[in-house]
Amino acid sequence: TMTGHFGPVSDICWDPSEQFIISCSADMQTKIYGNWKSPTESHWHEISRPQIHGYAINSVLAFPCFLLPTCSKERCAPFRLISASEEKVLRVFDPPYLFMKTANELTGAEIKYSKDLDNQAYEEKYAHSLSSTSGASISQPLTLMNKPVVLGEGEEEFNPYSFNPDGFLSNKVEQSGSENWKKNFLTKLEPPLEHPLTNFGLWPEIQKTYGHSYEIQAMAITHNGKYVASTAKANKAKDAYIIIWDTQTLKQVTKLVGHQLSITQLEFSNDDMHLLSVGRDR
């Protein structure tokens, strides 16, 4: 049993590699769960919190970046998240390097950091730029998006390239009484706690997409990850449409009409040739 949300869970999905479960909730958070492993036990636990929002999150999807022609061969996230909330936009997020690194170490997953390079070669080539602030995010006050981490005055930066899960990162406060929360981030002896998840688990938002007139409430993605369908609340036929988005460009491909009221659920066929929709108009 996986816990963590304090509101009704509205949607779940697997990541493209089926190693992680992603959930969203009316508590305005998106969470990622992995099969956390210690020397003596293993169980599914929250390992990242990509989004802390200002509205209830209704739907979340993950799609692979490696399939996209625009993906850089060497520096490309293995998958992205797209979420829909009680607002009119879709938000797209990239995983920071630190998530990929720690997720591999804590769960035994094999997330590739690059399309062409193996992980060791990637780290050796880009070690100079792999820092805690490379891609990591914090929630930006007075807005609904995540922005890159900015170090405070006198705050030291650490380099995940030197990752040592048994000593370098730990949830435990140092005995000296000086809490360095970056070094207290994770440990294989216990799963991540609330402080590192909220302070260092967010993903940077890379783009918003606009097109709906009312709050978005359902999404679906093709099995090849190339297209996303979304729909919003509607009290009139003119608003009861489905938008198809290209995940490569994050732009609209087409708009489908036919319903009279809100569409509540979408699903693509296994061959991605058909899209099934159901709604309040029965």
Side-chain angles (χ1 to χ4, degrees):
T1 301
M2 292 173 287
T3 61
H5 287 292
F6 55 86
V9 176
S10 49
D11 198 13
I12 56 172
C13 69
W14 289 97
D15 80 291
S17 68
E18 298 185 350
Q19 298 179 94
F20 306 101
I21 295 174
I22 304 150
S23 67
C24 63
S25 167
D27 64 10
M28 302 181 285
Q29 298 181 65
T30 300
K31 297 176 183 286
I32 296 181
Y33 296 86
N35 190 12
W36 168 80
K37 298 176 182 179
S38 76
T40 59
E41 61 177 320
S42 69
H43 59 82
W44 285 80
H45 194 280
E46 181 183 357
I47 60 171
S48 184
R49 195 170 299 173
Q51 184 182 13
I52 300 176
H53 202 39
Y55 293 106
I57 303 175
N58 296 327
S59 185
V60 64
L61 295 171
F63 62 91
C65 297
F66 287 174
L67 296 177
L68 306 181
T70 55
C71 179
S72 166
K73 291 185 177 181
E74 288 193 358
R75 307 196 74 172
C76 179
F79 66 93
R80 288 174 173 167
L81 296 182
I82 182 168
S83 71
S85 308
E86 288 290 322
E87 54 181 346
K88 304 173 186 178
V89 301
L90 299 175
R91 297 175 184 270
V92 184
F93 301 86
D94 258 0
Y97 164 76
L98 186 59
F99 162 76
M100 297 184 284
K101 180 71 172 176
T102 54
N104 282 349
E105 294 288 351
L106 290 174
T107 68
E110 297 181 356
I111 303 176
K112 284 197 67 178
Y113 314 147
S114 166
K115 183 186 293 187
D116 286 359
L117 301 176
D118 62 39
N119 289 356
Q120 182 177 354
Y122 177 90
E123 291 183 335
E124 291 174 352
K125 184 166 185 176
Y126 296 108
H128 64 282
S129 61
L130 297 180
S131 68
S132 63
T133 58
S134 295
S137 292
I138 59 174
S139 183
Q140 185 172 0
L142 305 180
T143 75
L144 298 175
M145 67 177 294
N146 301 340
K147 69 173 184 177
V149 166
V150 177
L151 295 176
E153 184 178 353
E155 191 174 12
E156 294 184 2
E157 185 171 338
F158 77 100
N159 191 343
Y161 175 65
S162 306
F163 188 86
N164 178 0
D166 294 317
F168 180 69
L169 301 176
S170 170
N171 272 327
K172 302 183 183 301
V173 177
E174 297 175 356
Q175 296 300 317
S176 64
S178 174
E179 180 182 1
N180 185 333
W181 63 267
K182 289 179 180 177
K183 290 185 178 180
N184 297 338
F185 183 37
L186 299 168
T187 176
K188 281 188 175 179
L189 301 179
E190 58 185 18
L193 300 179
E194 187 70 13
H195 183 69
L197 288 171
T198 55
N199 284 278
F200 219 60
L202 290 175
W203 291 21
E205 180 182 314
I206 62 168
Q207 190 167 335
K208 300 182 188 70
T209 64
Y210 299 86
H212 288 288
S213 303
Y214 294 96
E215 294 87 347
I216 301 170
Q217 62 178 27
M219 293 191 299
I221 190 168
T222 55
H223 294 79
N224 60 19
K226 293 183 178 180
Y227 299 100
V228 168
S230 64
T231 186
K233 295 178 180 179
N235 291 318
K236 299 178 181 178
K238 68 181 183 68
D239 299 317
Y241 52 81
I242 300 168
I243 296 178
I244 306 297
W245 306 88
D246 186 331
T247 57
Q248 177 181 331
T249 62
L250 298 176
K251 294 181 179 180
Q252 291 187 31
V253 176
T254 189
K255 186 181 290 187
L256 307 177
V257 298
H259 282 274
Q260 302 300 311
L261 294 172
S262 297
I263 301 165
T264 56
Q265 192 170 353
L266 301 167
E267 187 68 37
F268 282 98
S269 60
N270 288 336
D271 62 2
D272 293 331
M273 296 299 294
H274 299 89
L275 174 63
L276 180 66
S277 63
V278 295
R280 288 175 51 216
D281 52 7
R282 305 178 186 179

